[in-house]
Structures are given as structure tokens and as C-alpha cells.
Amino acid sequence: MRRFGTLSFGHYGPLGGGEQLTAADSMFQAIDLAQGMDELGVNGAYFRVHHFARQQSSPMTLLAAIAVRTEHIEVGTGVIDMRYENPLHLAEDAAAVDLLSGGRLALGVSRGSPETVVRGYEAFGYTGSKDPRGADIAHSHFDLFMRAIRGEGLAERDPESPMGGGRGMQRIEPHSDSLASHVWWGAGSVESAQWAARTGVNLMSSTLLTEDRGIPFDELQAQQIEAYREAWRKAGHEGTPRTSVSRTVFPILDDKDRALFGASAEGEGVGYIDGYRATFGKTYVGEPDALIMELADDAAVATADTLMLTIPSHLGVAFNLRLVEAFAEHVAPSLGWKPAA
């Protein structure tokens, strides 16, 4: 583990006791938290994306705002649902954020996770899928998106245009030379991870794997990462791809932490999601020395270069910054992390 950041689900709405967290509150708090983490040297601030829900649904605006208010921290998504996206519009937005951030965008995309509505992407105008989960739409959109950000000409120039025109094919603008290397695919299985490797993008291993092989979650995830890296090598791609996993970790430093997090520990398990049998990981709760030992023994954390800490973002900036600072000061350095600079 060389890097760590936070993965925020971005929930807003009623908090109980008559309190309400608005969408605006959620976004402003995300910006403030990212600034605080940037000062700590935390490597990334990543956001889950869900449509038709009280969560982040159009993250590029938020990422741009964070990018111009920070200096070092990576800004990203985990993940954007490609079933809902206009590939060329997303290519323009992503290039703009990558340029504004000085190449600090980590754009996680995938087929997407279950939503709160039935085939919501059809309401966005993307119909005709032959797959009950819309995977064919997601892959088609992703293919065009990658062609666009790699600079392929996609529209014929008009030699008669008063705007300059010309001949040949025109690429999408703005264009960021580094953006294609900053794309991640969120994979929930070995097969989807191998596909991502052949495509030449980084890997975000899902918080849930749609497989159950009778082995612990971390070992299953480590096998997925190794299969991805082997597929990358066989594909003949240059460079070393990045890989990430996510975990929920609550360091306990005092009695207040014990009261807040002591009952949060959960073991890993197997269930069903989106029609698939799925395996999910445990929640780590404990004093720093115990957490260091447990996370060092986590096969996936040990092999991935980036760890994303899932955080209860709706609990506010102070709460989450304290949580992240405790991990950064008392746990992460023993796992190989050094602050970003």
C-alpha cells in the first residue's frame, strides 16, 4: 500500500433529530474535507456515483471545485455508471477536470451497481439494451469514451465552416494527453478485471465481488488483482497499472472512539446483489497496533497500491477528518504509506 484516500458515498437527507443535510451541504463538506486531507498528505478523495438517489450523481463539477482548491490530492470517482453517460460529453468534462487539476484525476467507471429505480438509464435516453442489466450499453459507451480521450478523430471537419473548418477528422476538445492513463475500471469479478487489463485501464476492485469460491474475501480479491496483472502483461501494455481496494477502517485512540466505533466491527460474508452471489469484506475496528497487524495480513491490501477508506461522509467534516488523521498518523505509515507531496 503506497497510497490511501477516502471513498465517500455522499449521502444527504434527514440525519435524525430534525436535522437535514442538503445536497449543497454535502458538496461543500466534501470540498472542505478534501482540503483538510490535502494538508495531511492524503493521496485521494474519491466519490461513489448513483442516479435517482440522494448521493453524488454529477461528480465532475464537484471534482473540478476540489481540484482548484487543493494542490496534491487525487480527485476521482468510484465509480461512474457508464450506462447513464454520453461518452463524448463525459470525455470533454473529464479532460477539463484533468487539465484543471494538473493531471490529478482518477476516473473510475464501470457498468455500475444496482440503482434505486428499474433500468434508470433508459430514462436518460439510452435504450435498446439486449442485456437485463445494460452491460452492452455500458461497454459500448466506454469504448467510444476511450476512443475520444485517446484523441481519435470522431467528426468530419467542414471545409466550408466559417469557424475554421478544414479537412479530415476532428477530435474532442479539450484534450488531455494524460487522461487515458488515469482511467480505472471497477471490476466485480476476475473476468471483468481481465477485460480491463486487456483494454489497458487501471483496476478498482469492487467493494463486493460477484464470486464465492469458499475462500476469504481478501484472498479472493488478491487473486483478482493477480489475474488482472497477468492479463496486463500478456496484452503487452507498457508501464505498471494501478490497482485499488476499499476497506472500512475505524482506528480507536480513546474512549470516545470506542463509544463511537466499538460496535461497528463486522465480519465478511456472502449474499446476493443484482442477481449474483457476492462476497463482501469485513469492517476493521481496533487500536492502531491491532489494525496494523490485521491490515498487513489482508492479502488484497498488501498487493494493491491504493487503499480507499469508505467514510460516513454524512457525519460531517470534523468527524471524518479526525478519522482520516488517525489512520494517517497511527496506521498507514506502518503499511508503507508516505504523505503525498
Side-chain angles (χ1 to χ4, degrees):
M1 188 198 85
R2 298 193 302 274
R3 304 176 179 89
F4 91 87
T6 57
L7 177 59
S8 169
F9 285 66
H11 293 293
Y12 57 90
L15 296 177
E19 293 189 50
Q20 179 87 6
L21 184 71
T22 67
D25 293 335
S26 176
M27 288 185 282
F28 281 119
Q29 288 184 10
I31 295 169
D32 291 343
L33 178 59
Q35 285 184 281
M37 294 194 301
D38 193 44
E39 294 172 3
L40 292 173
V42 177
N43 303 92
Y46 313 97
F47 298 88
R48 290 291 293 268
V49 180
H50 285 283
H51 299 281
F52 297 105
R54 289 177 174 176
Q55 292 179 252
Q56 302 301 336
S57 59
S58 53
M60 305 310 289
T61 304
L62 176 60
L63 298 186
I66 293 174
V68 299
R69 297 275 291 273
T70 55
E71 296 182 18
H72 307 294
I73 199 167
E74 192 170 63
V75 295
T77 54
V79 291
I80 289 176
D81 189 331
M82 290 303 293
R83 295 173 297 182
Y84 285 77
E85 296 297 323
N86 178 309
L88 301 189
H89 191 234
L90 179 61
E92 292 176 338
D93 284 349
V97 173
D98 201 48
L99 293 170
L100 283 170
S101 66
R104 290 185 283 131
L105 177 64
L107 190 70
V109 301
S110 81
R111 188 218 70 185
S113 57
E115 299 288 340
T116 60
V117 297
V118 178
R119 300 173 75 91
Y121 46 90
E122 293 186 347
F124 276 54
Y126 303 118
T127 59
S129 173
K130 297 179 181 179
D131 183 285
R133 299 175 183 85
D136 50 352
I137 291 178
H139 282 272
S140 175
H141 286 187
F142 178 72
D143 177 66
L144 180 55
F145 169 74
M146 292 303 298
R147 288 167 57 198
I149 66 171
R150 285 171 173 157
E152 181 178 332
L154 295 172
E156 185 177 358
R157 294 187 180 99
D158 180 3
E160 306 298 325
S161 171
M163 303 301 293
R167 298 188 182 279
M169 301 298 287
Q170 176 63 45
R171 72 183 185 187
I172 287 292
E173 295 288 349
H175 175 77
S176 169
D177 290 335
S178 64
L179 177 56
S181 65
H182 299 166
V183 177
W184 305 60
W185 184 263
S189 68
V190 167
E191 289 74 18
S192 59
Q194 291 171 321
W195 176 86
R198 292 191 295 269
T199 303
V201 294
N202 303 296
L203 173 68
M204 281 186 180
S205 185
S206 176
T207 52
L208 292 169
L209 298 183
T210 54
E211 296 174 310
D212 174 21
R213 299 181 186 174
I215 62 175
F217 177 79
D218 65 309
E219 294 180 18
L220 186 64
Q221 203 168 36
Q223 289 182 2
Q224 181 202 44
I225 293 172
E226 181 51 41
Y228 163 81
R229 288 173 174 158
E230 179 61 23
W232 180 279
R233 289 190 289 267
K234 287 182 177 179
H237 299 305
E238 296 181 357
T240 301
R242 289 180 58 189
T243 56
S244 73
V245 297
S246 60
R247 294 288 186 271
T248 301
V249 181
F250 293 120
I252 293 180
L253 304 182
D254 54 29
D255 289 340
K256 180 180 180 181
D257 293 333
R258 191 167 287 104
L260 288 170
F261 309 131
S264 300
E266 292 183 2
E268 60 185 55
V270 176
Y272 287 87
I273 186 169
D274 207 18
Y276 290 106
R277 186 173 173 86
T279 307
F280 56 89
K282 62 180 290 186
T283 296
Y284 290 96
V285 180
E287 296 179 355
D289 288 346
L291 289 179
I292 290 167
M293 292 180 63
E294 287 187 277
L295 290 168
D297 287 338
D298 186 305
V301 171
T303 193
D305 61 74
T306 302
L307 173 63
M308 298 181 181
L309 299 179
T310 59
I311 58 170
S313 55
H314 59 286
L315 296 184
V317 176
F319 179 96
N320 284 286
L321 193 57
R322 183 174 186 271
L323 177 66
V324 172
E325 186 172 9
F327 185 82
E329 182 176 348
H330 299 283
V331 180
S334 295
L335 301 175
W337 174 75
K338 294 182 180 179

